[in-house]
């Protein structure tokens, strides 16, 4: 999955660079390439990246619940001693 994400990211950056490179000569094509790159970055790459990073993790560990707040307070009290 990591290699797949890197390949997609390089492709998006290459298309974005091509869009900026071609924009002075062919404005419409340059804007199209830039737009497709930005859309692909946010609608394809970002969800895949978030899924890859959060796969296998418990979301409750990162939420501020009453138990987690109490646990943080207890750890803070132990560090002071």
């Amino acid at each position: 999955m990591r290699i797949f994400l890197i390949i997609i990211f390089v492709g998006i950056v290459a298309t974005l660079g091509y869009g900026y490179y071609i924009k002075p000569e062919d404005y419409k094509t340059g804007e199209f390439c830039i737009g497709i790159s930005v859309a692909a970055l946010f609608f394809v790459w970002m969800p895949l990246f978030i899924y890859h990073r959060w796969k296998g993790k418990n979301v409750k560990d990162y939420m501020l619940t009453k138990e987690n707040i109490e646990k943080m307070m207890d750890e803070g009290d132990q560090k002071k001693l």
Side-chain angles (χ1 to χ4, degrees), residues 2-36:
R2 182 174 179 226
I3 302 296
F4 181 66
L5 285 171
I6 291 171
I7 291 170
I8 290 176
F9 186 75
V10 168
I12 289 171
V13 170
T15 307
L16 184 70
Y18 177 74
Y20 277 112
Y21 177 76
I22 198 90
K23 191 174 174 182
E25 297 168 10
D26 188 6
Y27 185 78
K28 242 181 176 180
T29 305
E31 287 290 320
F32 179 74
C33 288
I34 293 169
I36 289 295

Side-chain angles (χ1 to χ4, degrees), residues 1-68:
M1 180 65 123
R2 182 174 179 226
I3 302 296
F4 181 66
L5 285 171
I6 291 171
I7 291 170
I8 290 176
F9 186 75
V10 168
I12 289 171
V13 170
T15 307
L16 184 70
Y18 177 74
Y20 277 112
Y21 177 76
I22 198 90
K23 191 174 174 182
E25 297 168 10
D26 188 6
Y27 185 78
K28 242 181 176 180
T29 305
E31 287 290 320
F32 179 74
C33 288
I34 293 169
I36 289 295
S37 299
V38 171
L41 181 70
F42 288 107
F43 293 118
V44 177
W45 187 81
M46 188 61 73
L48 287 173
F49 176 76
I50 292 171
Y51 171 75
H52 171 67
R53 296 299 293 174
W54 279 86
K55 184 175 55 177
K57 294 188 177 165
N58 189 3
V59 177
K60 287 196 173 199
D61 291 340
Y62 301 97
M63 293 176 64
L64 281 177
T65 60
K66 189 172 183 172
E67 296 116 17
N68 286 344

